[in-house]
Structures are given as C-alpha cells and as structure tokens.
Amino acid sequence: MTCWESALIPVYSSLTHALADALVDVLWFIEGCEDEQMDPDDAVKVLEGVAHLVSKLSSGQRNEFIDLLGTMAEAESDPARREFLEGFPEGFGLLDDAVNL
C-alpha cells in the first residue's frame, strides 16, 4: 500500500458519486481556508466558477446532483460538513431552476 492509499477509501456506486464527493472535498477545503492559506479573491473565483458550472446543468442533472448531495449529507458523520452538504444546493444556485423538489 502506498502513502496515498488507505483502507478507508470509500467505494462509490458511480463515477458521478465519486466526482461529486471530490468536488465537495475541494469546495469544503476552500470554504474553510484562512486568508493566509488561500488568497480570498482566488477562493471566490473558484466558488463562483463552480456555481456557474452547475448553473449550466440540465434540470435532470441538477435534480440528480441534489439527490446525491442529500444522500451524502445523510451519511456524513461530521456535523459541520453535513451542514455544508445540506446547504450546497442553495449556496451554489442548484435550486434556482431545479424541478420536482
């Protein structure tokens, strides 16, 4: 086992779930960064870039992503990260045009 491998690496049901988890990890890190760790202007650019990207998803894709975020939130044991996951759809503009919520 190499240094980056771990017995705790989750097994994902789909590539979509794996990529959503990776995206959330990156955004969770950026949201939690202090100004000394990451330039605040750069952090805002990344967060706004993601919000723009997800705004371009189709209604079906948005709903799938929202459902996946809900599943991830339910499984999350860290209360602060669970709160981040629960607020993600609204915070990143997924609810603006989502259908059948």
Side-chain angles (χ1 to χ4, degrees):
M1 187 177 289
T2 63
C3 64
W4 54 269
E5 292 177 321
S6 168
L8 301 176
I9 294 176
V11 176
Y12 296 102
S13 58
S14 69
L15 176 60
T16 302
H17 190 156
L19 293 174
D21 198 37
L23 177 64
V24 167
D25 280 347
V26 169
L27 298 175
W28 172 249
F29 172 78
I30 291 171
E31 285 261 328
C33 279
E34 299 294 329
D35 291 353
E36 300 79 34
Q37 294 173 299
M38 182 172 194
D39 180 89
D41 291 335
D42 290 338
V44 168
K45 286 178 188 175
V46 171
L47 298 172
E48 288 177 346
V50 170
H52 177 73
L53 175 73
V54 299
S55 76
K56 300 299 182 190
L57 297 174
S58 69
S59 293
Q61 291 168 327
R62 284 178 185 221
N63 287 334
E64 179 184 1
F65 192 30
I66 291 166
D67 290 345
L68 182 53
L69 290 165
T71 299
M72 291 166 63
E74 288 173 7
E76 182 57 55
S77 60
D78 177 349
R81 186 175 163 95
R82 184 180 318 110
E83 184 177 331
F84 179 76
L85 286 162
E86 291 169 346
F88 192 104
E90 184 175 353
F92 285 88
L94 288 168
L95 299 181
D96 294 343
D97 296 321
V99 197
N100 300 322
L101 290 177

